[in-house]
Amino acid sequence: FTQLDLEMSFVRPDDVFDVIERVMEDVFRVIGVKIARPFRRMLYKDAIRRYGSDKPDLRFGMEIEDISDLVKDSPFSVFSGAVANGGVVRGLRAPACADYSRKQLDELTELVKKFGAGGLVWIALPNKEVDSAGNVHWQVRTSAKAIPQPELDAIVERMGGELGDLLLFVAAPQKVAANALGRLRSELGSRLNLKDAQVLAYAWVVDFPMFEWNEQEARWDAQHHPFCMSNADDVQYLESDPGRVRAAAYDVVCNGYELASGSVRIHERHIQERIFAMLGYNLEQAYAKFSTILEAFEYGAPPHAGFAPGIERLVMMLGSTDDIRDVIAFPKTVRARDLMMAAPNTVDQQQLNTLNIELNEKARKALAGEET
C-alpha cells in the first residue's frame, strides 16, 4: 500500500478505484475467492435512504421504504405527528415473519429504541380478502389500531407486502429513522439467515456530504477531514449552501463493513482557505494551525488522492470471522481493558508531573477509588 500511495500522486478518482479493486482482487485470491469487478457504485444518500447505513450489506434486499406521503394525514397520530414535525415514516418488509411472537416483536422494539427511535410499529399480514372488483383488502394484526382500511391497503401495496409478511415501521427524524432501520435490517438479515457467508458483496460508496451541522456549537464541521476536496460541481456552494456540498470521498464496503476509505485531497490554496473559513478559522488561525500545508501549496502541489485500508478488517474477512479481536495480537476486552498491559490502571503523582498533567476533582476521586 505504500507503493500505491506513490502511484496515486497524479491520478483521477477512477484510477484510484481501478487500482484498489485490483488490490482487493489479489488479496482475496489468497483464500481462493474470486471478486467480481468493477465494484458497484452507490451514492451516500442512496445508501442511507435504502439501507440505513453508509456501509450497507448488499448480500440481501430488504430495502427501506418511505410511506410518509401516505400517512401524513393519518388518524394514527404516531405517523401523522412525526411527519408534521418534519420527520419521516419508513419501514422494512420482513418476509414470512407474520407469526412473530410478542416476545420477538418486543426484542425488535428494544433494538430500535437503543438507536433513538421512540418505538416500533408493526403490521402482520396473516390473511387477505379479494372483493368482486379484484381489489385486495388485508386482514392484519397490528400495533396501529387507528389506521383505516384504505390507508392500510395503500401501505401494504407500497411496502410490497405479501401473505405471511411482517411490516415494521419507525416514525422519527430522518437521521434517527435511517440508523434505527439500518440496525433493524442487519438484525433481521442475521435472524432470517440472509447473510450468505460465501458471498462478498463489494461496493464503492461515493459523494459523502462535505460538512455536517454541529448542533451543540452551531457551526459546520468537516465530515471526513478538512483537507478533503469537494465535488467540482459543488465548490460554488461552499459559502451559500454548505449542506449541499458533496466531498470527493469514497469508501470500499463489503458485507456491512467499511474495508477502506479515501478521498481526493485539496491541492489549491484558495480552496483550502475557503474550507477553513467554513469551519470557523480565519486566515490567521488557519496559518497558525496548518501553516505547513498552506505554505506547501505555494510550491505547486499536484492533484492527488489518498486511500487507507483497514488491514485488521481485511484480515478478519480473510479469516472468516465476525470479531476483529480474533485477528489482533493483543486485543482489548469488550470493557476496553488491555490485559497484557493491565490498563487502564492508576498512575502516581510523579508520573503526572512528568507529563504536565493536572487532574480535576472528579479524576482525583476516580483514581482514589472513591467513584467509578
Side-chain angles (χ1 to χ4, degrees), residues 325-341:
R325 291 194 299 272
D326 290 345
V327 299
I328 298 175
F330 303 104
K332 293 181 175 64
T333 68
V334 293
R335 294 180 179 273
R337 294 189 62 83
D338 184 331
L339 299 181
M340 184 173 183
M341 301 299 296

Side-chain angles (χ1 to χ4, degrees), residues 47-72:
I48 296 296
R49 168 67 184 79
R50 295 166 60 185
Y51 303 102
S53 172
D54 60 1
K55 47 183 183 296
D57 191 333
L58 302 175
R59 288 175 292 179
F60 62 102
M62 202 181 292
E63 294 188 15
I64 297 169
E65 295 287 347
D66 195 310
I67 64 166
S68 302
D69 60 315
L70 299 179
V71 300
K72 59 184 178 62

Side-chain angles (χ1 to χ4, degrees), residues 276-277 279-291 294:
F276 284 147
L279 300 176
Y281 297 106
N282 59 37
L283 276 181
E284 183 179 349
Q285 292 170 326
Y287 274 87
K289 291 179 177 291
F290 308 106
S291 60
L294 290 172

Side-chain angles (χ1 to χ4, degrees), residues 132-152:
S132 57
N135 298 313
V136 176
H137 303 291
W138 289 93
Q139 296 180 342
V140 305
R141 291 188 303 112
T142 179
S143 59
K145 305 298 184 183
I147 298 179
Q149 191 66 45
E151 184 178 304
L152 183 63

Side-chain angles (χ1 to χ4, degrees), residues 38-351:
F39 296 171
R40 175 179 176 179
R41 296 191 190 182
M42 180 178 298
L43 300 179
Y44 168 86
K45 66 177 182 180
D46 290 338
I48 296 296
R49 168 67 184 79
R50 295 166 60 185
Y51 303 102
S53 172
D54 60 1
K55 47 183 183 296
D57 191 333
L58 302 175
R59 288 175 292 179
F60 62 102
M62 202 181 292
E63 294 188 15
I64 297 169
E65 295 287 347
D66 195 310
I67 64 166
S68 302
D69 60 315
L70 299 179
V71 300
K72 59 184 178 62
D73 299 316
S74 176
F76 183 51
S77 61
V78 172
F79 283 173
S80 56
V83 178
N85 290 325
V88 295
V89 181
R90 293 177 179 169
L92 297 169
R93 180 181 70 88
C97 293
D99 60 351
Y100 260 33
S101 66
R102 172 63 67 176
K103 179 177 181 294
Q104 289 171 305
L105 292 168
D106 287 345
E107 289 172 351
L108 298 182
T109 299
E110 289 305 310
L111 174 67
V112 298
K113 283 183 176 181
K114 288 180 181 178
F115 300 102
L120 188 66
V121 177
W122 54 270
I123 301 175
L125 308 177
N127 202 358
K128 65 180 179 180
E129 292 180 348
V130 181
D131 63 24
S132 57
N135 298 313
V136 176
H137 303 291
W138 289 93
Q139 296 180 342
V140 305
R141 291 188 303 112
T142 179
S143 59
K145 305 298 184 183
I147 298 179
Q149 191 66 45
E151 184 178 304
L152 183 63
D153 293 338
I155 291 172
V156 176
E157 182 179 3
R158 172 72 60 82
M159 298 295 296
E162 299 179 359
L163 199 64
D165 288 347
L166 176 66
L167 310 181
L168 300 164
F169 301 93
V170 167
Q174 290 193 41
K175 192 172 183 179
V176 172
N179 187 37
L181 288 169
R183 303 284 186 162
L184 178 61
R185 177 180 179 271
S186 180
E187 174 66 18
L188 289 170
S190 298
R191 290 190 179 208
L192 301 178
N193 297 316
L194 301 177
K195 299 179 178 181
D196 189 340
Q198 304 305 311
V199 173
L200 294 175
Y202 273 91
W204 288 100
V205 177
V206 299
D207 279 0
F208 286 81
M210 185 81 172
F211 306 105
E212 58 185 355
W213 182 249
N214 185 324
E215 292 283 354
Q216 290 184 333
E217 301 186 22
R219 63 179 176 83
W220 293 98
D221 288 337
Q223 189 176 81
H224 281 252
H225 55 74
F227 313 107
C228 179
M229 184 63 180
S230 66
N231 186 296
D233 295 334
D234 297 343
V235 173
Q236 59 184 312
Y237 304 118
L238 281 175
E239 290 81 15
S240 61
D241 192 0
R244 181 175 179 176
V245 179
R246 296 163 295 168
Y250 35 80
D251 286 357
V252 168
V253 301
C254 181
N255 295 6
Y257 297 110
E258 176 191 317
L259 294 187
S261 181
S263 68
V264 175
R265 306 292 196 252
I266 297 171
H267 64 280
E268 298 180 21
R269 185 174 64 180
H270 71 95
I271 293 180
Q272 185 68 77
E273 289 176 350
R274 290 172 66 186
I275 298 296
F276 284 147
M278 275 300 311
L279 300 176
Y281 297 106
N282 59 37
L283 276 181
E284 183 179 349
Q285 292 170 326
Y287 274 87
K289 291 179 177 291
F290 308 106
S291 60
T292 302
I293 188 169
L294 290 172
E295 291 174 3
F297 288 150
E298 295 184 16
Y299 299 94
H304 56 288
F307 198 79
I311 301 299
E312 291 93 346
R313 190 73 69 189
L314 278 171
V315 174
M316 182 193 82
M317 297 195 72
L318 290 169
S320 300
T321 176
D322 291 327
D323 192 340
I324 199 169
R325 291 194 299 272
D326 290 345
V327 299
I328 298 175
F330 303 104
K332 293 181 175 64
T333 68
V334 293
R335 294 180 179 273
R337 294 189 62 83
D338 184 331
L339 299 181
M340 184 173 183
M341 301 299 296
N345 206 334
T346 57
V347 293
D348 58 40
Q349 189 61 46
Q350 183 176 352
Q351 291 173 300

